[in-house]
Amino acid sequence: MWDEGYLRSVAAVQHGLLHRNQLIESGATDHEIMHRLSVGRIEQLHPGVYYIDSVAATWKTEVLAGVMAAGPDALASHRTAAVLWGFDAVYGRMIEVTVPFNEDPEPKGVILHRTRRLNPGMILDGLPITPPERTLLDIAPMLPERTLEKAARSAIRTGLTTRRRWTWGLASTGVVAWREPGRC
């Protein structure tokens, strides 16, 4: 049985989104899901990911939809994570997600990065995301050095990371020939 109040409360903290598993676990049937899709009460953004208008859709809704569609261990990452963290000099609205190497889903409109070493993620405003240090490492090869330095300085200035955690993160990945942000 479709419990409208409960599902809207769940969707409200997930940027208006529900995963098919959440619908089924709450007692919804395939018939109820199909009926609500057909009459426009819910919208399918990706296979198994539905938008319910409990909150206004935003770019974060699109990001979380991509993460949910990419699998249970997926994390918003790279430039998407940099924008979500609010790093200076990093802009854009692409959706980039890191998933374990063996994950199969390939959501449309999502840039997937596969890894054999998925580090623990964090939650930022309800979104599974790579930590600031990992995000900086992920965007390093994509950005000009000056832009990366601005991003790293802003992460340190705003307290998202420290010089010690940033340099430790670099060293732990084998990157040693890097100047600390702010020590040019």
Side-chain angles (χ1 to χ4, degrees):
M1 182 71 181
W2 189 278
D3 184 345
E4 189 81 23
Y6 169 75
L7 291 173
R8 283 188 174 279
S9 68
V10 171
V13 297
Q14 295 181 161
H15 299 277
L17 298 173
L18 293 166
H19 193 277
R20 184 178 188 286
N21 292 344
Q22 292 173 308
L23 292 170
I24 299 301
E25 287 170 7
S26 75
T29 65
D30 286 333
H31 177 73
E32 288 172 315
I33 295 169
M34 294 305 293
H35 172 72
R36 281 175 171 72
L37 281 168
S38 69
V39 297
R41 297 285 309 270
I42 61 174
E43 177 185 355
Q44 184 172 356
L45 300 182
H46 294 285
V49 180
Y50 304 96
Y51 172 71
I52 184 170
D53 62 357
S54 60
V55 297
T58 65
W59 179 67
K60 289 181 181 179
T61 304
E62 295 176 38
V63 171
L64 183 56
V67 170
M68 290 171 81
D73 295 320
L75 300 170
S77 64
H78 294 73
R79 291 166 291 193
T80 300
V83 171
L84 290 167
W85 283 117
F87 293 170
D88 289 349
V90 183
Y91 308 97
R93 291 292 188 223
M94 76 284 299
I95 298 171
E96 293 183 89
V97 174
T98 295
V99 297
F101 187 76
N102 59 350
E103 288 287 320
D104 289 332
E106 294 191 23
K108 186 177 180 183
V110 175
I111 300 168
L112 285 183
H113 300 275
R114 298 184 188 280
T115 181
R116 294 186 192 279
R117 267 185 23 182
L118 189 64
N119 294 331
M122 302 176 78
I123 301 294
L124 176 67
D125 193 21
L127 298 158
I129 188 171
T130 53
E133 298 82 11
R134 171 67 189 260
T135 300
L136 287 165
L137 292 171
D138 287 342
I139 63 175
M142 301 175 162
L143 301 176
E145 184 176 345
R146 191 167 172 89
T147 303
L148 181 62
E149 286 177 6
K150 286 181 183 179
R153 281 191 193 117
S154 71
I156 292 167
R157 183 185 70 251
T158 58
L160 294 173
T161 190
T162 63
R163 280 188 170 80
R164 174 178 275 174
R165 288 196 325 235
W166 167 235
T167 54
W168 180 85
L170 290 170
S172 70
T173 60
V175 178
V176 291
W178 181 267
R179 296 184 313 225
E180 280 189 57
R183 303 224 180 185
C184 301

